[in-house]
C-alpha cells in the first residue's frame, strides 16, 4: 500500500526516485506551469527545449521521461501533458490524470514526488487521488514472482503543505482512494470467490471495521419479507441471494441520502443466455453494489454530516432447472407483479425490490448505481455513465457532483411512453421487464426502476455499464478491469450536501 504526504521541499532538490511535472500545450509548442522554475533552472533554463526535442506536445496524459538534473537526487524526471489552459486555469481532472499517468510511468519506483500545480486544496486532492489510484494493481491471483510491487512513498510538493484545507483535502483523497481500490478489488475478483454470501460477508466485515451498521437478509429472510425480484433472479443458482442494508447515522445530519446498488455477482443471462464472449466480463455486474458500499464507508470514515442508508441487492443469475423462465411472474417487494419476458433483464428486478425498501426509509434523495444496460454503452460509449431522474433538480445535483469528482456522466430522459409500453407489454402482470422493442433499452430500464420509487421522493438512476469496467488498456489513473466508478461522485454528493 502506498503512502502519500505533503511537502514544501524544492522540486529540484528533493531526494526521490522520480519527479512528476506537468507540461502545458500552447500554440504549436509547450510551456511549463508555475512551480517548475527551480527544475528548469537545474536544466540550465532549457527544460522546455529538452522536452520538445524528445517529442513532448503537452497533450493530456502524454508522458516524456528524461534523466534527473542532479545525480543522487531524483533519478528520473517524468513530464506529463496537461493539455491546453487558454484561460490560465488547469482543470482538476487534468491534474488527476497527470498524476495517475506519472505514477504509472514510474512503474515500481519506491518514491515518487509530484511537482504539479497546486494553487488550491482542490488541486491537491485531485493530484493525490490520481497518484494513489494510478498506483493500483490487482495482484491477488498473481504468483509472487509475477506480481508487480506497487507499495511506495508518494509526495505532493506544494507551498500549501502546512495549510489546514490542504491537509483536509489530502485526507479525503486517501479515504476516497482507499474506497475506490476496495471496489476495484471486489469487481476484479473471480465470481467463484465472490458469490452473494461472500460479498455480503465482505461488506459486513468492512462496515464493522469502520463503525457503520450492517444488516444482511439471507434467502429465508428474503422469502419471509416478500422480496420476489431478488429471489426470482437468484433462484437458478446454487449460491442464494442476499440483500444488505448499511446505515450511517451521524448526529445533526443535514440530509438523508439513500444509495441502492445492483449486485449481480455473475450474470450468465439466465435462461435467456448471453453469448460466450458476452459473459467474460460479467463478474463486473456487481460494480454498482460495490460502489455504493465503498462510498458509504468512505462517507462514514470522513465523518460527513449526512445520513446514508444503503441497499445492495446481491444475486447470481444462472441457468438451471430451478431458474426463472421467460413468462414467469414475480411478485415484487411491495406487491407489484412483473412478467419476466427476458431473464437477462435481471438487474432491474433486484433493484426494484431494493428501491421499494429504500423508499420506506423516506430519504431526501435516492441514487441507484447499476451496470444495467448494453444500450447505454451503445448510446454513450465506455467512458460515460447515463444519468436518469424523476426531477431535473435531483439529476443536476448528481451530475454536478460527478463533474466535480472527475467522473464523466451525461443526462438522459425517461419518456413517459416507456412505462406505458412496459405495462402494455404484459397481458398478465402489472408490467413486463422489457418493452419488446430493440431500441431505447436504457430508457425503458430507467422507466421500470422509476415505477418502484415512492411518490414524492427524488430519485436518480446511474447506468454505469460502460465506465464501471475497463476492457481496454490502463490510462491515466484508470486501470484495466474494475475502475471503482461512482464512488467519487457519491462521496462528492455527500460532501457538497454537508
Amino acid at each position: 500500500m502506498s503512502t502519500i504526504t505533503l511537502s514544501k521541499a524544492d522540486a529540484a532538490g528533493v531526494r526521490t526516485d522520480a519527479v512528476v511535472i506537468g507540461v502545458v500545450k500552447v500554440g504549436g509548442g509547450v510551456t511549463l506551469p508555475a512551480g517548475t522554475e527551480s527544475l528548469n533552472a537545474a536544466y540550465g533554463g532549457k527544460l522546455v527545449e529538452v522536452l520538445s526535442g524528445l517529442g513532448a506536445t503537452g497533450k493530456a496524459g502524454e508522458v516524456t521521461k528524461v534523466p534527473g538534473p542532479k545525480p543522487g537526487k531524483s533519478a528520473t524526471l517524468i513530464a506529463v501533458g496537461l493539455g491546453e489552459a487558454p484561460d490560465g486555469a488547469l482543470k482538476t481532472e487534468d491534474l488527476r490524470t497527470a498524476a495517475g499517468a506519472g505514477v504509472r510511468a514510474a512503474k515500481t519506483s519506491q518514491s515518487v514526488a509530484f511537482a504539479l500545480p497546486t494553487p488550491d486544496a482542490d488541486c491537491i486532492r485531485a493530484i493525490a487521488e490520481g497518484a494513489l489510484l494510478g498506483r493500483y494493481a490487482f495482484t491477488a491471483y498473481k504468483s509472487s514472482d509475477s506480481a508487480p510491487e506497487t507499495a511506495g512513498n508518494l509526495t505532493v510538493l506544494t507551498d500549501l503543505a502546512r495549510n489546514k484545507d490542504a491537509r483536509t483535502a489530502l485526507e479525503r483523497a486517501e479515504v476516497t482512494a482507499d474506497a475506490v481500490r476496495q471496489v476495484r478489488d471486489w469487481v476484479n475478483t473471480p465470481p467463484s470467490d465472490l458469490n452473494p454470501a461472500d460479498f455480503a460477508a465482505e461488506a459486513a466485515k468492512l462496515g464493522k471495521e469502520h463503525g457503520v451498521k450492517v444488516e444482511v437478509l439471507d434467502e429465508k429472510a428474503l422469502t419471509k419479507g416478500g422480496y420476489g425480484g431478488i429471489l426470482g433472479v437468484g433462484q437458478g443458482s446454487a449460491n442464494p441471494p442476499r440483500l444488505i442494508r448499511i446505515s450511517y447515522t451521524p448526529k445533526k445530519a443535514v440530509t438523508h441520502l439513500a444509495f441502492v446498488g445492483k449486485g449481480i455477482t455473475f450474470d450468465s443471462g439466465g435462461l435467456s443466455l448471453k453469448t460466450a464472449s458476452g459473459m467474460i466480463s460479467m463478474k463486473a455486474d456487481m460494480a454498482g453494489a460495490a460502489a455504493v458500499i465503498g462510498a458509504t464507508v468512505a462517507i462514514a470514515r470522513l465523518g460527513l454530516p449526512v445520513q446514508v442508508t444503503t441497499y445492495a441487492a446481491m444475486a447470481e443469475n444462472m441457468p438451471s432447472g430451478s431458474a426463472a423462465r421467460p413468462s414467469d411472474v414475480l411478485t415484487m417487494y411491495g406487491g407489484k407483479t412483473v412478467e419476466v419476458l427476458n431473464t437477462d433483464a435481471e438487474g432491474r428486478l433486484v433493484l426494484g425490490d431494493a428501491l421499494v425498501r429504500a423508499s420506506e426509509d423516506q430519504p431526501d434523495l435516492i441514487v441507484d448505481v447499476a451496470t444495467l444496460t448494453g444500450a447505454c454503452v451503445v448510446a454513450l460509449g465506455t467512458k460515460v455513465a447515463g444519468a436518469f431522474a424523476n426531477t431535473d433538480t435531483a439529476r443536476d445535483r448528481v451530475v454536478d457532483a460527478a463533474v466535480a469528482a472527475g467522473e464523466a456522466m451525461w443526462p438522459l430522459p425517461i419518456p413517459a411512453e416507456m412505462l406505458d409500453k412496459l405495462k402494455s407489454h404484459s397481458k398478465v402482470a402489472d408490467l413486463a421487464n422489457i418493452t419488446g422493442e430493440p431500441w431505447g433499452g436504457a430508457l425503458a430500464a430507467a422507466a421500470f426502476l422509476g415505477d418502484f420509487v415512492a411518490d414524492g421522493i427524488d430519485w436518480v438512476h446511474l447506468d454505469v455499464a460502460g465506465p464501471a469496467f475497463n476492457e481496454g488498456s490502463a490510462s491515466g489513473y484508470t486501470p484495466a478491469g474494475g475502475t471503482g466508478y461512482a464512488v467519487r461522485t457519491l462521496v462528492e454528493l455527500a460532501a457538497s450536501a454537508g
Side-chain angles (χ1 to χ4, degrees):
M1 185 72 69
S2 296
T3 60
I4 192 163
T5 57
L6 303 179
S7 173
K8 294 188 73 172
D10 181 76
V14 64
R15 290 185 178 275
T16 184
D17 294 336
V19 173
V20 177
I21 67 168
V23 181
V24 178
K25 185 175 183 179
V26 55
V30 298
T31 188
L32 299 174
T36 54
E37 292 82 4
S38 63
L39 271 172
N40 187 37
Y43 284 90
K46 298 185 179 297
L47 184 52
V48 168
E49 288 89 336
V50 171
L51 294 172
S52 297
L54 292 172
T57 66
K59 178 182 177 182
E62 176 190 74
V63 172
T64 306
K65 290 185 179 182
V66 298
K70 297 180 180 179
K73 301 285 185 177
S74 60
T76 306
L77 180 70
I78 301 172
V80 186
L82 294 172
E84 294 181 302
D87 58 356
L90 293 166
K91 297 177 182 177
T92 53
E93 179 61 7
D94 289 336
L95 293 171
R96 190 179 286 110
T97 299
V103 78
R104 285 196 310 105
K107 296 183 178 178
T108 58
S109 298
Q110 286 300 293
S111 59
V112 183
F114 298 85
L116 294 164
T118 56
D120 55 40
D122 286 341
C123 291
I124 289 174
R125 176 161 61 90
I127 293 166
E129 285 179 352
L132 291 167
L133 295 178
R135 200 67 158 170
Y136 174 85
F138 184 66
T139 61
Y141 294 84
K142 295 278 190 179
S143 66
S144 57
D145 292 336
S146 62
E149 177 59 58
T150 59
N153 300 316
L154 309 176
T155 305
V156 179
L157 304 178
T158 176
D159 290 337
L160 301 177
R162 296 185 180 88
N163 179 275
K164 180 180 178 181
D165 289 341
R167 294 196 299 271
T168 299
L170 184 70
E171 178 191 13
R172 179 169 158 189
E174 289 180 288
V175 170
T176 304
D178 194 36
V180 173
R181 288 195 299 260
Q182 176 63 78
V183 171
R184 289 175 175 178
D185 281 352
W186 281 334
V187 173
N188 289 327
T189 298
S192 57
D193 289 344
L194 196 71
N195 63 42
D198 297 329
F199 196 4
E202 286 274 317
K205 178 182 176 181
L206 187 67
K208 182 177 181 180
E209 179 182 347
H210 295 291
V212 295
K213 184 178 180 181
V214 180
E215 306 166 64
V216 178
L217 299 185
D218 62 13
E219 65 272 31
K220 292 181 180 179
L222 290 169
T223 300
K224 183 178 179 180
Y227 291 88
I230 298 172
L231 289 165
V233 172
Q235 71 187 51
S237 174
N239 298 306
R242 295 287 187 270
L243 177 64
I244 186 167
R245 182 180 190 268
I246 303 177
S247 52
Y248 164 61
T249 312
K251 294 181 179 178
K252 298 181 180 180
V254 297
T255 191
H256 181 189
L257 302 176
F259 299 152
V260 175
K262 174 187 172 184
I264 304 299
T265 58
F266 184 75
D267 182 18
S268 69
L271 292 180
S272 303
L273 199 65
K274 293 180 181 291
T275 63
S277 61
M279 287 190 214
I280 292 174
S281 63
M282 284 300 104
K283 66 180 182 180
D285 212 20
M286 37 62 70
V292 298
I293 294 168
T296 303
V297 172
I299 290 165
R301 289 180 63 186
L302 291 169
L304 299 179
V306 176
Q307 181 180 352
V308 181
T309 308
T310 294
Y311 290 91
M314 302 170 177
E316 189 175 59
N317 187 26
M318 299 291 283
S320 73
S322 62
R325 295 151 289 241
S327 78
D328 276 356
V329 174
L330 304 178
T331 301
M332 306 287 284
Y333 182 76
K336 194 166 294 183
T337 58
V338 176
E339 185 176 9
V340 180
L341 298 181
N342 187 323
T343 64
D344 196 23
E346 86 299 329
R348 65 201 68 182
L349 299 175
V350 301
L351 289 171
D353 278 354
L355 287 167
V356 175
R357 179 62 188 88
S359 295
E360 292 178 347
D361 294 324
Q362 296 185 316
D364 299 305
L365 172 65
I366 298 175
V367 181
D368 79 70
V369 184
T371 49
L372 205 61
T373 67
C376 199
V377 184
V378 172
L380 299 178
T382 59
K383 307 291 187 185
V384 183
F388 305 79
N390 58 4
T391 71
D392 291 348
T393 301
R395 182 200 61 212
D396 292 347
R397 182 179 168 192
V398 174
V399 172
D400 287 348
V403 171
E407 294 189 309
M409 191 177 292
W410 194 257
L412 290 171
I414 308 178
E417 67 186 48
M418 285 297 179
L419 183 58
D420 294 336
K421 290 177 179 179
L422 290 167
K423 290 180 177 180
S424 64
H425 196 46
S426 176
K427 302 299 186 285
V428 298
D430 293 329
L431 69 166
N433 72 329
I434 59 172
T435 63
E437 297 177 343
W439 45 78
L443 281 59
F448 181 96
L449 296 180
D451 202 41
F452 290 86
V453 178
D455 292 341
I457 297 178
D458 284 351
W459 158 75
V460 179
H461 158 56
L462 303 181
D463 192 330
V464 301
F469 193 81
N470 178 20
E471 298 192 59
S473 301
S475 64
Y477 58 87
T478 303
T483 65
Y485 185 93
V487 171
R488 288 184 287 129
T489 292
L490 296 180
V491 172
E492 177 64 33
L493 179 69
S496 61

